[in-house]
């Protein structure tokens, strides 16, 4: 089902609401849209457009004038997503683009339930929708998650030789920007990845060469990984979530490259070596 409020790139009287606008993909989506002249409402808990999933009083102001929404569901408090989606449609939103993860249909309750809830909410919203199911981001290595271990010279994970076609966050944002502003029918799932798979060991070796220093990859058992996360101060729930994510990868559900970037943008996605060289030149792992 679709409603009759599509966002047209021929008239910029409507705006795009970008949730998580200071986040890894959100800030890049804002940049992509503004570069093409699309009005953007960049929303976050501390931004000019205030939005808080736990405070529904912030929702109407964020939605004012928006005809499309880039939706990144929270890890906690995701039960609010269906109500927000319904309110957004009543406020005039005609299109959603949701960030999700490849293989999300195979996970259990310990990981990704915000993404699952968001997918279900937009599918049943009556608006146009597109879901971006992405592989692990290149930027997980230089912006968060694995940045500090790499800086310290040792990344230890429970993944083995299963390959991952890491995707660049810039590519994800570029795809999202196109889908947020494309006229006509957009409903569907778009799987986005990098152009080729690498093992995590190969990825670490690539980053070490680019940085010109020694960085080791160490293979852990799932039990060892869980214990290391707890010893590093991660909460039990986060440790379980990361363990569940790697169990998904070990099963091979995300190992094959996807063609979403090529189909939407008409070009090849950013290669991991190019990403590593760029990040290293910026001092990511020095």
């Amino acid at each position: 089902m679709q409603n009759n409020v599509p966002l047209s790139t021929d008239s910029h009287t409507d705006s795009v609401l970008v949730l998580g606008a200071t986040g890894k993909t959100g800030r890049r989506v804002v940049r992509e849209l503004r570069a093409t002249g699309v009005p953007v409402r960049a929303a976050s808990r501390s931004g000019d457009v205030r939005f808080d999933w736990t405070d529904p009083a912030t929702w109407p102001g964020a939605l004012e004038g928006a005809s499309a929404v880039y939706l990144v569901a929270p890890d906690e408090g995701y039960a609010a997503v269906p109500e927000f989606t319904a309110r957004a449609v009543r406020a005039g939103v005609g299109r959603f683009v949701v960030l999700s993860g490849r293989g999300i249909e195979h996970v259990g309750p310990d990981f990704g339930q915000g993404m699952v809830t968001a997918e279900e909410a937009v599918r049943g919203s009556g608006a146009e929708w597109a879901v971006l199911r992405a592989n692990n981001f290149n930027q997980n290595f230089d912006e968060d998650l694995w940045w500090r271990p790499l800086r310290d010279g040792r990344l230890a994970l429970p993944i083995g030789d299963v390959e991952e076609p890491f995707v660049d966050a810039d590519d994800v944002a570029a795809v999202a920007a196109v889908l947020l502003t494309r006229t006509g029918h957009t409903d569907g799932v778009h799987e986005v990845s990098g152009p080729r798979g690498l093992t995590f060991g190969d990825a670490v070796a690539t980053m070490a060469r680019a940085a010109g220093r020694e960085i080791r990859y160490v293979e852990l058992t799932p039990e060892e990984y869980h214990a290391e996360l707890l010893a590093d101060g991660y909460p039990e729930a986060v440790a379980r979530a990361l363990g569940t994510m790697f169990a998904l990868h070990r099963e091979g559900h995300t190992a094959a490259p996807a063609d979403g970037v090529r189909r939407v943008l008409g070009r090849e996605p950013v290669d991991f070596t190019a990403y590593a060289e760029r990040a290293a030149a910026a001092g990511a792992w020095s």
Side-chain angles (χ1 to χ4, degrees):
M1 292 289 295
Q2 301 177 38
N3 68 10
N4 295 315
V5 195
L7 179 69
S8 170
T9 54
D10 297 327
S11 173
H12 290 169
T13 57
D14 300 316
S15 62
V16 175
L17 172 63
V18 177
L19 302 182
T22 60
K24 189 176 299 172
T25 62
R27 70 178 189 272
R28 290 175 164 90
V29 172
V30 169
R31 182 182 66 206
E32 288 279 341
L33 292 170
R34 286 179 173 165
T36 58
V38 176
V40 177
R41 298 182 62 76
S44 65
R45 283 180 293 182
S46 59
D48 293 337
V49 178
R50 186 167 179 269
F51 179 87
D52 189 334
W53 285 106
T54 66
D55 184 3
T58 66
W59 299 356
L63 286 165
E64 185 177 355
S67 288
V69 175
Y70 180 65
L71 199 163
V72 182
D75 292 328
E76 298 179 359
Y78 53 81
V81 173
E83 177 59 26
F84 167 78
T85 303
R87 290 197 193 184
V89 172
R90 292 197 295 269
V93 168
R95 180 171 304 176
F96 295 92
V97 173
V98 173
L99 179 65
S100 188
R102 288 190 71 197
I104 198 68
E105 69 273 26
H106 300 288
V107 302
D110 288 331
F111 176 75
Q113 291 308 297
M115 294 183 284
V116 171
T117 300
E119 287 198 17
E120 293 174 349
V122 301
R123 288 173 191 268
S125 68
E128 293 182 355
W129 59 271
V131 170
L132 298 185
R133 289 184 177 173
N135 275 86
N136 267 296
F137 299 130
N138 292 339
Q139 284 73 14
N140 288 343
F141 292 110
D142 73 291
E143 293 186 9
D144 57 20
L145 194 56
W146 301 313
W147 170 74
R148 188 166 298 281
L150 288 165
R151 282 286 296 267
D152 292 341
R154 174 185 178 271
L155 181 63
L157 301 172
I159 186 60
D161 292 330
V162 178
E163 292 186 343
E164 174 80 1
F166 303 100
V167 65
D168 202 86
D170 287 342
D171 283 342
V172 176
V175 171
V178 168
L179 295 176
L180 284 162
T181 56
R182 176 181 288 173
T183 57
H185 182 80
T186 60
D187 292 11
V189 173
H190 302 260
E191 296 202 339
V192 289
S193 80
R196 62 190 175 99
L198 297 87
T199 67
F200 272 80
D202 288 340
V204 170
T206 299
M207 290 180 286
R209 284 193 300 271
R213 56 165 296 207
E214 181 180 358
I215 307 175
R216 295 186 299 128
Y217 174 76
V218 177
E219 180 67 23
L220 300 178
T221 66
E223 295 75 20
E224 290 170 336
Y225 180 60
H226 189 88
E228 284 206 3
L229 290 173
L230 296 180
D232 287 341
Y234 285 91
E236 173 67 27
V238 174
R240 286 200 310 271
L242 289 172
T244 300
M245 181 187 76
F246 278 109
L248 171 74
H249 294 326
R250 287 195 302 272
E251 292 170 359
H253 296 300
T254 66
D259 66 352
V261 173
R262 186 184 310 108
R263 284 191 297 107
V264 175
L265 301 181
R267 64 163 173 80
E268 290 297 312
V270 172
D271 185 74
F272 189 83
T273 298
Y275 153 75
E277 292 173 349
R278 183 181 69 223
W285 309 296
S286 300

